[in-house]
Each structure stands twice: as C-alpha cells, then as structure tokens.
Amino acid sequence: MKRLIKKSVPNVPDRPVKILQFGEGNFLRGFVDWMVDVLNEKTLFNGNIQIIQPIPKGMGNAINVQDGLYHVLLEGIENGGRIQNSRLITSVKGVLNPYENYMDFLRQAENPFLEFIVSNTTEAGIVFDPTDRSPEVVPNSFPGKLTALLLHRFHHFDGGSQSGLTLLPCELIEKNGEKLKECILRYSNHWALSETFISWVHDNCIFYNTLVDRIVPGFPREQINEIQQRLGFKDDLIVKAEPFHLWVLQGPKDIKNQLDFNKAQLNVIVTDDLGPYRTRKVRILNGAHTAMVPYAYLNGFIEVREVVENKKMEAFLNTVLFEEIIPTIDMSKTELESYTREVLDRFRNPFIKHRLLDIALNSIAKFRVRVLPSLLTYLELYKKVPEGLATALAHLIVFYKGNHKGEHIAIRDDESVIAFFRTAWKKSDLDQTLDEVLSNKTFWGTDLTEKKQLSSFIKQCVKSLV
C-alpha cells in the first residue's frame, strides 16, 4: 500500500501560506483545515496553512512525514440520510516546532501573503505566563509566542498598516478573541514593548470572538485497516468527524471578502453577537460531553454512543440536560429542548466511535467553563443542589485520582493539575482531600467549600465511590 506523501499524489497544488495555525490536534485538522480545503476548491482563496506546534511534544513530526497530507472522513446523519465521504486535505504545508527552531518560527511573520492566525490550544491555552521574560527566547504560552511573532512582523514591515493580521482563536472560552488580545497587550507591557507596536496591534490587527461546533472523534483506530484499504493509502493521520459543522464569528462582516464561506457552502455565521450561540452550545453540547465523561467512564463505558444508548446513562443525561441545564439558560425553552434533542441524536451517530478518554483532555478547565456555570446558577436559582451535575463533579474528582477499583486511568491535563491531585489524594483524611480540591480557586474560580449544600453532597458522593 502506498504511503500518503506528495510523491504518491498527483498534482498537489503549491499555494502560498495565508494562515498560521497554533495547534495540530484532531479538531483543527477536522474543522478549520477541512474548511480551508473546501475554500481552496470552491473559491479563489488559494491559500495554505502552516501549523505551529504550541508545546514541545506533539504530532508535528508525524504530520511532516506525510507532507501535511491526510484524509477527513465525514460520517453521520444529515437531513435524514446517511453521509459517508472522504476528502484528501492538501491545505496544510506542514508543522513547525518553535522549541526546535525559534528563528524559523519568527520568520513566518515575514511572509507577505500571511493574513490569518487560527488557534485551538484548549480552554487552558489563552493565558498570561509571567515566567515568559522576553520575546528573545521561546515563550511558554501560546499568547507569548504570538506576541513575539507579531512583534517580529511589526519590525519587518516597519509597522505598516497593511501588515496587520486577522486572528480567529477557536479555544472554547467566552470572548476568546478579546481575551487573546488582552494577553498580547499584557505581554507588551510585561516586555516593555514600544507604544507604536501596541498602537499597531490596536489599529491593524482584528480579533474575532468565535464559536466552533463539530464533533471530531479523530483517528479511527478500530477501523483503520479497512479504511486505509478503501482509500488506497497508508494514512496514519486520518481524522473522522460528523458532517455537522458551525463556525460563528463575531466581528467585521468584511471577512467574507477574504473567505467566501457562502460560495463554498460552509455553515459560517458572521454576527454582532455570538452570545446566544455560545451559551447554547457550551452549556448543552459541551456541557453534556464534559459532565458525562467521568460519570460514564467510572461506570465502565468507553464511548459516547454506548453511553446514550444505555438506559441508566440516558436517564442521567436527560436529568442533567432537561432538568438542570436548560432551566438555567435565559432563552426559549422550546428552542433549547429542540437543540438538545438534536445534540443527543448527534451523540448517537452510528459511524462515530467517540472515546470518552479523548474528550477527557483538560477536563478540569473544561468543567469550569462548560458545566460549573449551570451548576452554580441552578443552585442560586432553586436553592437546592442539581444532583446530576453535582454527581458529575464528584465523579470528576475521583477520576482525577488516576485509578479506580484497581484500574489505572491515563489523565491528560497540565502537569500542575495532575500533580495537585496526586498530592491531594495522598492525604489520609478524605475530607481534607476534598476540602483542598473544592477550595481550589484556580480550578473553579471560587471556593466551592463555601457552598455548604453542594460541598456536603459531593463529599457523600465521593465517599460512596472510593
């Protein structure tokens, strides 16, 4: 079987790089990179993506071995019919690791064709790190790297107004574009950068708040041999995704002049207010995902579909969604219930094996953003504990113990988070462990031990699990 490299594929177009992308994970490759590939086919965009690996270790080498080529498989139900198709993605030039060659990374800013920055570094990615002391050495954080890149571009083009970039962060945090800009300005002050650079960022760089929506399970491990035979290539980077996709952009509508989403028949909305779209999606779709993972995994389940098809799990999800999350959202109940039923149907997609452990990446940060607002709002509105959501939090705490009933759990999170739980779970007194976890304001944004009803419920639940 042929390896998927450019020599094996006739007529791979050579396009200028117009997009720098921070992040090489399944989601961006199955969402943004797929969209750019469609734009290249159906419009005059004619641009490629240079991926920047945001952390020292990642998938960069594997992607470069295949010359940036890979397939996206879309499988699911759409308009009542089954969809199964594949697309060879040719829009990715490759991956650059700034930890291996920082100057090559900075030189990407000298590209006159560059127009966009895209990112998805998870909810924990858009942060300011005070230990990043200078733009002269590779910063730890994504916003630090981006500030250094923008500074290099500012100097290379002598601060010209036409050298500004459009930034489209896809991290699932509220006002992601605004927060990314705040981080860049904070680094500018931290590094004592010039006022002219700061003015250039303000005046010439456009930061969109964005919302993304597509379920992307990623690499189809169990079916890979069959799929590769069908495609005729040994492709180790296949990304499986559902057909549904939605990208909401809050900012100037003239982005449509650069990216003709309508002509490409892509489901992209440019709006003045993405708030309602975000609340609905984050609280319901992402909230359901994040709430179900620890509860379902500790109950012996492996994939999303088998969770929603199990009566006990279905009852748990229905309680969480219809009785606890929807009542906390100030939108039409009819509309929210309709969207929720659509989400549950997407979870039942017969073609997708969406592993719970894949969703579990950075679950603490995800729980704070996706689930905790619903839990705390319900507690405030109804003066009682939402037992489904609180049970999910209790299971999350046990999940982060890293083992359950003799089984090791591979926790994927920031090392500082893993180390915190490792230390907390070593305490001989379980109440002390739980008080330390629940009072961690870095995790939850508040001291949850002050919510006496909630704290008591969670402690009882955890004690029944360990």
Side-chain angles (χ1 to χ4, degrees):
M1 186 183 299
K2 295 181 292 184
R3 290 199 62 84
L4 184 57
I5 56 176
K6 285 186 177 178
K7 288 183 179 179
S8 303
V9 180
N11 304 319
V12 174
D14 184 18
R15 310 181 188 97
V17 170
K18 294 186 179 180
I19 300 171
L20 282 188
Q21 174 176 300
F22 287 80
E24 78 282 22
N26 289 326
F27 181 79
L28 283 181
R29 292 191 299 115
F31 184 76
V32 172
D33 301 354
W34 171 85
M35 283 195 183
V36 173
D37 210 73
V38 174
L39 284 165
N40 281 329
E41 177 192 339
K42 297 186 176 181
T43 76
L44 299 176
F45 179 65
N46 190 40
N48 274 357
I49 299 161
Q50 174 66 60
I51 297 177
I52 306 299
Q53 187 170 294
I55 57 178
K57 295 181 180 180
M59 296 179 60
N61 289 337
I63 293 172
N64 288 336
V65 163
Q66 292 191 184
D67 297 326
L69 301 173
Y70 64 96
H71 291 85
V72 169
L73 308 183
L74 299 186
E75 297 185 328
I77 307 298
E78 192 172 62
N79 299 323
R82 291 194 168 199
I83 299 291
Q84 283 183 288
N85 61 51
S86 64
R87 168 179 284 270
L88 174 62
I89 304 301
T90 66
S91 60
V92 174
K93 178 181 179 182
V95 181
L96 191 154
N97 186 343
Y99 294 90
E100 295 178 354
N101 195 325
Y102 187 46
M103 279 309 302
D104 271 3
F105 162 69
L106 292 178
R107 289 192 191 102
Q108 301 303 308
E110 301 174 10
N111 176 6
F113 296 102
L114 188 62
E115 297 181 48
F116 302 96
I117 302 286
V118 173
S119 66
N120 186 21
T121 53
T122 80
E123 283 89 335
I126 300 183
V127 293
F128 171 79
D129 185 345
T131 66
D132 289 332
R133 299 295 183 186
S134 165
E136 301 301 319
V137 295
V138 58
N140 293 316
S141 76
F142 154 55
K145 295 181 187 71
L146 180 55
T147 305
L149 183 90
L150 291 174
L151 179 66
H152 191 90
R153 186 171 180 86
F154 168 78
H155 288 308
H156 182 77
F157 289 101
D158 297 321
S161 61
Q162 298 303 310
S163 61
L165 299 174
T166 298
L167 295 99
L168 301 165
C170 297
E171 289 82 358
L172 197 63
I173 60 174
E174 191 169 4
K175 298 181 179 179
N176 47 19
E178 293 176 35
K179 290 185 178 178
L180 180 57
K181 184 176 182 179
E182 287 171 7
C183 279
I184 290 170
L185 297 177
R186 194 171 174 187
Y187 273 109
S188 300
N189 291 324
H190 184 58
W191 292 339
L193 303 181
S194 70
E195 287 297 324
T196 50
F197 169 71
I198 294 172
S199 295
W200 177 81
V201 171
H202 274 302
D203 297 339
N204 301 297
C205 293
I206 302 172
F207 294 77
Y208 281 78
N209 294 325
T210 79
L211 176 73
V212 295
D213 191 357
R214 169 173 265 181
I215 297 173
V216 182
F219 190 70
R221 296 175 183 85
E222 296 181 4
Q223 307 157 285
I224 189 59
N225 292 332
E226 171 195 338
I227 292 170
Q228 288 184 345
Q229 288 291 335
R230 189 168 74 240
L231 295 174
F233 289 102
K234 181 170 173 48
D235 181 356
D236 295 326
L237 299 169
I238 293 170
V239 176
K240 182 178 281 194
E242 65 172 343
F244 179 89
H245 66 282
L246 171 65
W247 201 4
V248 186
L249 309 178
Q250 180 181 304
K253 290 182 171 55
D254 58 7
I255 192 173
K256 296 177 182 178
N257 298 330
Q258 300 164 280
L259 300 168
D260 196 345
F261 299 115
N262 288 338
K263 186 174 182 180
Q265 297 179 306
L266 294 169
N267 189 19
V268 179
I269 297 171
V270 184
T271 180
D272 296 327
D273 181 15
L274 61 70
Y277 297 99
R278 181 186 187 281
T279 299
R280 185 184 70 174
K281 191 255 180 177
V282 172
R283 298 273 191 101
I284 294 176
L285 186 144
N286 300 114
H289 262 160
T290 300
M292 87 161 69
V293 166
Y295 182 74
Y297 189 83
L298 295 186
N299 275 278
F301 294 89
I302 304 299
E303 296 174 358
V304 170
R305 185 185 176 196
E306 63 181 5
V307 173
V308 296
E309 291 181 344
N310 177 271
K311 289 185 177 180
K312 175 185 174 182
M313 295 295 120
E314 182 185 32
F316 168 77
L317 278 174
N318 284 338
T319 295
V320 163
L321 287 165
F322 291 99
E323 298 178 21
E324 297 179 354
I325 294 178
I326 287 178
T328 68
I329 303 175
D330 187 17
M331 293 173 64
S332 162
K333 182 180 179 182
T334 301
E335 179 186 336
L336 292 174
E337 289 180 345
S338 174
Y339 176 76
T340 300
R341 286 189 287 271
E342 180 183 63
V343 163
L344 291 172
D345 284 342
R346 290 166 65 189
F347 287 177
R348 293 187 183 95
N349 186 335
F351 299 105
I352 286 183
K353 294 182 181 294
H354 203 172
R355 289 164 52 87
L356 298 174
L357 286 182
D358 290 338
I359 303 171
L361 174 68
N362 295 331
S363 280
I364 298 299
K366 287 177 178 176
F367 197 94
R368 175 178 175 174
V369 171
R370 302 174 174 188
V371 184
L372 199 59
S374 298
L375 191 159
L376 295 179
T377 301
Y378 187 98
L379 187 63
E380 181 180 349
L381 287 175
Y382 300 103
K383 311 304 179 188
K384 62 180 181 179
V385 174
E387 295 189 1
L389 294 173
T391 297
L393 178 52
H395 280 72
L396 180 67
I397 294 169
V398 175
F399 182 85
Y400 266 72
K401 186 179 181 183
N403 61 78
H404 184 63
K405 296 181 179 179
E407 178 193 348
H408 172 71
I409 302 173
I411 304 299
R412 298 165 62 203
D413 210 317
D414 187 88
E415 181 54 38
S416 64
V417 174
I418 296 171
F420 173 89
F421 276 99
R422 188 185 303 126
T423 301
W425 274 108
K426 285 180 180 178
K427 295 183 182 298
S428 57
D429 187 302
L430 183 54
D431 282 317
Q432 287 184 2
T433 295
L434 296 176
D435 283 338
E436 188 165 332
V437 172
L438 292 172
S439 63
N440 190 323
K441 292 184 180 180
T442 301
F443 289 173
W444 320 118
T446 187
D447 182 349
L448 294 180
T449 62
E450 295 176 356
K451 314 288 185 184
K452 301 300 183 184
Q453 277 182 290
L454 177 64
S455 177
S456 176
F457 181 93
I458 290 171
K459 287 181 177 180
Q460 290 177 16
C461 190
V462 169
K463 289 173 183 177
S464 72
L465 292 171
V466 299

